[in-house]
Amino acid sequence: MNDIYSPVNEKEVSDFIYECHKDSSPIEIIGNNSKKIGRVIQCSKTLCLENINGIIEYFPEELYIKVKAGTSLEEIENTLDSKNQTFGFEPMDLGFLYEGKSRGGTIGGVVACNLSGPRRFKIGALRDHLLGFKAINGSGEQIKSGGTVVKNVTGYDLSKLVSGSYGTLCALTEVTLKVLPKYEYQETFCIYGLTHNEAINFFSTAMDTSLEISGACFYPADNTGFFRLNDVKQNNSILSLRVEGPKTSVQERIQQLRKIFVASDYSVLDIFQSKAFWNLSKNLELFKNINEIVCKLSLPITNASEFLSKFSNDIKYFIDWAGGLIWLSTKDIETISKMRIFSVKNNGHLTIYKSDDNYRRTEEFLTCGDTNFKILSSKIKKSFDPNLILNPGKMYAGI
Amino acid sequence: MVLHLPEADQKILDNKSLIVKELNRFTCNVLSDNDELRPYETDGLNVYKQKPLAVVLPENTKEVSEILKYCYQHNIKVVPRGAGTGLSGGSLPLKDCVLMSMGKFNKILEKDFKNRCVVTQPGVTNLAITQAVQDQGYYYAPDPSSQLACSIGGNIAENSGGVHSLKYGTTTNNVLGVEIVLIDGTILRIGGKHLDSEGYDLLGVFMGSEGLLGVVTEATVKILKKPEAVRAVLIGFNSIEDAGSCVSDVISKGIVPAGMEIMDKPLIIATENYAKAGYPRDVEALLIVEIDGTASEVEAMIQKVLDIAKMNKASYNKASNSDEERMKFWKGRKAAFSACGVISPDYICMDGSIPRNKLADVLGYINQLSKKYNLRVANCFHAGDGNLHPLIMFDSNDPKELKKAEDFGADILKYCVKVGGVLSGEHGIGVEKRELMCEMFNNNDIQQQLSLKKAFDKKNLLNPGKVYPILHRCAEEGRIHIHKGKTKFPDLPRF
C-alpha cells in the first residue's frame, strides 16, 4: 500500500493535486475506501477525502442539504431523519456486498458511483438529485457548478457529468443534494409463483395504471430465503410492488392492486415489513457473503425477458426498476463475456460491481461498445484532468 | 441595438456563393436569398436580429452529419435552431454562419408503451408528444408555456421546465436518450430506452447545453401515466410576503404539488382583463396550487393546503370542482405573456431561480427597481421551485427604454445570484445573459466549462458567442487577468 494523504481542507486538496499534476504523478482517490468498485489501478499516491467532512448547511424547507464530500452517508441520513426528510434516490449501502455488513461510506463516494436505489424508475437517479458541487480538477484548480436550486440552466450541467465519474474527473470536496419529505406511509403488495416472463408482464400491467408504484422488483423462487419477514411467503418467486404516500391513499391503491391481480397468490407487507423488505433488496443482501462476480445490467424492459431466457439458468439474479434493471452474479467468466455481447447488441449497460482483484485488473469494468463514445470520453477526461492523474484507468483502460 | 458577436470571417462572407453551392450537395433545402433568410434572423428574443450567411434545413441525420463535417473542415460557424421560440437568443444567427434549422425533423418515430417512451425527431413540438399518447392515458411531463410551438430539440437545448416541473422535473429528468451529431460530423447515440447508462453522463451534460455541444437528431423521451385525479385551488393574499410564506409552508409540510404558481397584482389585473379567468381583483398576490394523485389523496392535500393558506392569512380561496374549472384557473396564468403584450408595446421576460424563502425579498427589490427605472413590471413565479419570470414592460420606439429594460433585468438577475439563486431557471443564458455569467462563476469555473466545450468542439464553431462572455483578450484561451480573485472581467464589451 502506498502513502495515504488525508487533507483536512479544500486548499490542501488543491495543493496536493497541483503538485501531482506538475509531476504527472497518478493519484487514487478514496473516501473511506468502502467500495471496491472499478478497475484496480496502480498509483504512487492515495488521496483520502474522509477528513473533508461536515454538514455545511441544511434548510429543510428549501429541500436541500450542502455537505462536504467526505461526510459519512450515515451522518447525513441521521440529520435528514431528524427533520423527517430523506434522499429520494435511496442511496445503496454496498457494505453488505463487499464486507457482509453495513458500511455506507462517504457521500462523495455515493455521488462518484451514481448509486441509486429501487425508487430510481419513478423519481430519477442520484444524478437527478445533485444540484451542485465544488471540486478540485486534475490541474489542482478549485471548480464549482450548479447551485442550491432545482431549476438551473446556467452553463453546462457538470453535476451530471461528475455523478458516476468514479473520481476520474475531479476530487469532489462539496456536494449539494436535493432532499424530500419522507413518505408518511407505505405498503408492499407481493405476488407469488410467477415466472420471470410473467413478472415482466405483471410489471407492465402495474405500471400502466395511475397507482404511482415506487418500487417494483422480482426474485426467483430459490433467491428469497434472506427476506425472513412474517408476511413474505417462502419457497416461491416474489414480485413486489411498493406504494407510498398518505395512509388512506396507500391503502386505496393497495385495494386497487388486489382487484387487478385478483387471480394471483398474494400478501401485503405492512409499513414495517415493507421498509425492511426494500432495505434488504436495495442493499443487495441477496449477494451478501457471496464469492462470485456481481454485475448490474441496465437494459430496456422489453429486452429483459430475452436476456433471462438466455441466461437465468447460469446466474443468481433479481429484477428491479419494474424490469429495467437486473442485478446478477455468476462464477463463470465465460458467462460474463456472453452477457457483455448480449448487452452491447441490445443497448444494455453491464457494469461489474464486485469481482476479485485479478479480474478487476485485467478485464473491463464497464462494457462500452461504441468507439466514438470512448474517444469523446477520453477528451472529456482530459478537459478536466489534462495529465490523466485522477484515478487513471478506473473506468476504462487508458482513460 | 449593438450586440457583440464573434467577429465575422471575411473570407467566409466572400465565399458565400461557393459555400451555398457546396451545401446544396448535401441537402436540397438551402436558403440564401435575403428574403428567404429574413424569417430566421431572430428567435423569441426578437430585440436582436442578424441574418445568417445561409440556412439549411436537413431532412435526415446523414445530411446533418455531412453538412457539419463540411462546415468543420472549412471553419464555418454553425448555429442550430429548433422552433425559434427561445427567449435568451440561443439561436440568434451570426453573419458568417450556416443556420441549421431542424424544422424538417418533424416526425414521431415510435410510441413504445411497453418501455413507456416515445422516440421522436427533434422538430416535433412539445405538445405533439402528449397529443400522440394521450389516447392511451399517457403524457409528456415538461410543459413550457410555449409548448404549442416549441420543439423537443429546443427543449433539450435549454432544459425547459414549465409549471409542472416541481413534481415531475425538467427536460433533463424526462429524456432517456438522444442521437446527436458533433461538429465534425460524428454521430453518437447516448442513452436509449433503458434508464442508466454507464460511463460519463453525456446525456446529462448535453441537456441545457444551448446548442453548443452538438445537434440533436433524435430523442427518446419518457412518458407518464396520467394521474387519477387533478384539482387546483386559487388562493388570494393581501401581501406577497404571506403568499411566499404559504409556499414555503406547503413544501416544508411535505406536500409536493404538481404545480404552484404566484402572480402579483399587476399581472392578476392584466390577465383578468385579457383572459377573464375569474381571478379576484382585490388581492395583492394570487397563488395557484395544483395537486394530483388518487382521488382521496387529492382531497386530503387540497384541504391541507387550504389550512396552511388560512394560517398565512389568505383572504380568498376557490377550489376547482371540474376539469373545465381547473383549466380556467390556468387560462389566466398561461395568458400572462399575451396579456402584457396588450398593455405594453414591448416587454422582456426575465428568468431567474432563487431559494423559495427569498420570494418576498426579491419581489420587494424588483418593485424598488421598477420605481428606479420608471418601468412597469408584472411578476409570475413558478413559486414551488423558486423560478421567477418578471415581465418588464417598455416601448422599443424609445431607444433609451430598451437599454433601461435590459439594465433593469440585469439588476434583477444579479440580485437573484446575491440571494443564493442562479441566472436562469429554464430559458438559458444565450446571448441575453452571457455577460452576467461572471456574477456566478469565477475564472476557474468558466475555464473548466470552456475546456469541456473544446472536448466536443475544439474549433469553437458550434453556436459560438452564446452562454459564455465574449472577452477581449481571448478568455477562451485562458488568459484572463484576475486581480485578487475579484476581477469580473472589466474589459468585457457590455451591451
Side-chain angles (χ1 to χ4, degrees), chain B residues 11-22:
Chain B
K11 265 200 300 200
I12 303 282
L13 297 175
D14 294 345
N15 273 338
K16 175 167 172 168
S17 56
L18 174 68
I19 292 169
V20 169
K21 198 174 148 204
E22 291 284 301

Side-chain angles (χ1 to χ4, degrees), chain A residues 36-39 94 97-98 113-115 164 166 284 293-299 321 325-329 336 339-340 343 348-355 359 364-368 394-396, chain B residues 196-199:
Chain A
K36 319 265 176 306
I37 196 167
R39 301 179 68 250
L94 291 183
L97 179 66
Y98 298 117
C113 299
N114 191 26
L115 291 172
Y166 299 95
L284 305 180
I293 300 175
V294 178
C295 315
K296 171 185 162 183
L297 174 66
S298 163
L299 80 175
W321 298 355
L325 179 74
I326 297 168
W327 282 101
L328 62 97
S329 77
I336 301 272
M339 288 192 298
R340 284 192 202 267
S343 156
H349 287 259
L350 186 107
T351 310
I352 310 290
Y353 264 66
K354 184 185 171 185
S355 60
Y359 190 87
E364 282 187 279
F365 157 53
L366 309 169
T367 313
C368 182
K394 185 120 184 152
M395 289 175 82
Y396 307 101
Chain B
D196 275 8
S197 296
E198 61 188 17

Side-chain angles (χ1 to χ4, degrees), chain A residues 205-226:
Chain A
T205 309
M207 298 308 294
D208 196 27
T209 64
S210 305
L211 298 176
E212 302 215 19
I213 307 291
S214 68
C217 69
F218 171 79
Y219 284 79
D222 42 355
N223 291 347
T224 62
F226 71 104

Side-chain angles (χ1 to χ4, degrees), chain A residues 62 120 127-128 137 142 144 151 153 156 168 208 210 249 252 298 301-302 349-350 367 380 383, chain B residues 115 138 173 194 196 198 200-202 225-226 296-297 353 356-357 387 424 426 444-445 448-449 451:
Chain A
E62 290 296 330
R120 192 267 177 259
R127 54 87 109 168
D128 296 293
N137 68 15
Q142 296 189 22
K144 65 173 182 297
K151 278 174 99 171
V153 194
Y156 304 126
T168 59
D208 196 27
S210 305
S249 159
E252 263 179 28
S298 163
I301 295 164
T302 43
H349 287 259
L350 186 107
T367 313
I380 289 172
S383 76
Chain B
N115 287 306
Y138 283 88
N173 313 109
H194 56 287
D196 275 8
E198 61 188 17
Y200 295 135
D201 186 3
L202 301 189
K225 196 77 185 176
K226 275 192 186 147
S296 67
E297 183 178 1
S353 256
R356 268 178 291 270
N357 64 5
N387 186 197
S424 171
E426 56 186 359
N444 281 352
D445 306 332
Q448 180 60 68
Q449 301 233 358
S451 90

Side-chain angles (χ1 to χ4, degrees), chain A residues 125-148:
Chain A
L126 176 139
R127 54 87 109 168
D128 296 293
H129 296 249
L130 183 67
L131 301 176
F133 70 91
K134 280 188 183 168
I136 312 298
N137 68 15
S139 310
E141 295 158 348
Q142 296 189 22
I143 55 165
K144 65 173 182 297
S145 178
T148 62

Side-chain angles (χ1 to χ4, degrees), chain B residues 160-403:
Chain B
S160 308
V163 295
H164 291 103
S165 60
L166 173 60
K167 186 166 177 183
Y168 296 104
T170 57
T171 303
T172 188
N173 313 109
N174 288 280
V175 173
L176 297 170
V178 286
E179 179 186 75
I180 60 170
V181 185
L182 304 181
I183 186 69
D184 64 0
T186 305
I187 301 166
L188 265 185
R189 294 189 74 87
I190 310 167
K193 293 178 176 178
H194 56 287
L195 288 173
D196 275 8
S197 296
E198 61 188 17
Y200 295 135
D201 186 3
L202 301 189
L203 182 65
V205 82
F206 198 80
M207 298 295 131
S209 61
E210 307 202 31
L212 269 69
L213 301 183
V215 177
V216 192
T217 47
E218 185 189 299
T220 303
V221 304
K222 189 160 91 176
I223 48 170
L224 302 177
K225 196 77 185 176
K226 275 192 186 147
E228 183 187 298
V230 191
R231 278 185 83 189
V233 52
L234 290 179
I235 307 169
F237 296 89
N238 289 327
S239 81
I240 200 87
E241 285 80 6
D242 290 342
S245 90
C246 181
V247 168
S248 287
D249 284 356
V250 167
I251 296 286
S252 61
K253 292 275 173 0
I255 302 170
V256 184
M260 188 149 54
E261 301 282 311
I262 291 183
M263 294 158 68
D264 70 354
K265 185 154 194 170
L267 194 64
I268 299 168
I269 304 293
T271 56
E272 189 52 22
N273 288 341
Y274 181 81
K276 306 201 171 31
Y279 295 161
R281 288 168 181 267
D282 56 349
V283 297
E284 287 298 317
L286 186 68
L287 181 63
I288 311 176
V289 184
E290 182 163 289
I291 304 276
D292 64 17
T294 60
S296 67
E297 183 178 1
V298 170
E299 287 315 300
M301 289 298 157
I302 290 276
Q303 197 46 54
K304 264 195 185 173
V305 168
L306 290 175
D307 291 345
I308 293 168
K310 204 171 164 190
M311 284 190 301
N312 284 290
K313 299 182 266 182
S315 59
Y316 171 93
N317 75 65
K318 188 177 182 187
S320 68
N321 286 311
S322 66
D323 238 26
E324 289 81 61
E325 196 172 8
R326 181 175 68 86
M327 297 316 285
K328 201 177 159 199
F329 287 0
W330 284 112
K331 195 176 150 198
R333 167 62 184 86
K334 292 205 169 180
F337 291 10
S338 322
C340 286
V342 169
I343 58 171
S344 170
D346 299 281
Y347 65 87
I348 47 175
C349 171
M350 302 306 297
D351 163 50
S353 256
I354 52 168
R356 268 178 291 270
N357 64 5
K358 303 287 186 199
L359 280 178
D361 174 5
V362 173
L363 197 75
Y365 185 72
I366 292 174
N367 287 334
Q368 279 178 32
L369 289 173
S370 171
K371 285 184 194 123
K372 177 182 157 193
Y373 285 103
N374 195 23
L375 289 175
R376 287 180 299 166
V377 63
N379 288 286
C380 51
F381 298 137
H382 301 308
D385 35 31
N387 186 197
L388 50 135
H389 293 316
L391 298 157
I392 301 170
M393 291 171 255
F394 68 100
D395 182 353
S396 63
N397 289 325
D398 177 353
K400 280 188 206 142
E401 283 219 341
L402 173 60
K403 173 80 173 64

